[in-house]
Amino acid sequence: MGTIVISGTVVLVVLGFGNHVWWLAAVAVLFLYVQYGRGASSTSSSGGASSGGASGPVPGDYRAYRDRRDRQAKWERRYRRERPFESRRQAREKGK
């Protein structure tokens, strides 16, 4: 992916010698690549190194996962409490 972006940027810079708007397009392509392309993969590998403070995308994703997991567990406990016979039957069928 990076090779394609670099090649496209070089082409836009070469075209920019005739029209400077192409240079702006090259800068925009590089900015978007750094912001969303390369940045997304590099933060996932270095996300664990951050300590407190402003959290990056990885801790936010984990927090969302934890919230979904806790919400699901809460609903499962409620279901077992409100429907004990059904939940026991499902547990027996799951064990087979």
Side-chain angles (χ1 to χ4, degrees), residues 18-86:
N19 186 357
H20 297 300
V21 174
W22 291 108
W23 282 351
L24 293 174
V27 170
V29 165
L30 285 177
F31 173 76
L32 290 174
Y33 174 67
V34 168
Q35 196 72 13
Y36 298 107
R38 185 181 61 108
S41 62
S42 67
T43 56
S44 64
S45 62
S46 64
S50 64
S51 59
S55 62
V58 174
D61 289 344
Y62 180 69
R63 190 172 297 116
Y65 158 75
R66 228 177 30 208
D67 291 341
R68 285 192 311 270
R69 184 193 63 192
D70 293 345
R71 199 175 317 121
Q72 179 70 28
K74 182 181 89 169
W75 279 105
E76 288 174 359
R77 286 191 302 269
R78 179 178 175 185
Y79 183 83
R80 283 194 306 267
R81 185 177 63 244
E82 292 178 353
R83 298 173 179 86
F85 297 115
E86 181 69 19

Side-chain angles (χ1 to χ4, degrees), residues 1-2 7 9 20 48-50 69 81 87 90-91 94-95:
M1 178 69 184
S7 301
T9 303
H20 297 300
S50 64
R69 184 193 63 192
R81 185 177 63 244
S87 63
Q90 288 176 353
K94 187 178 179 183

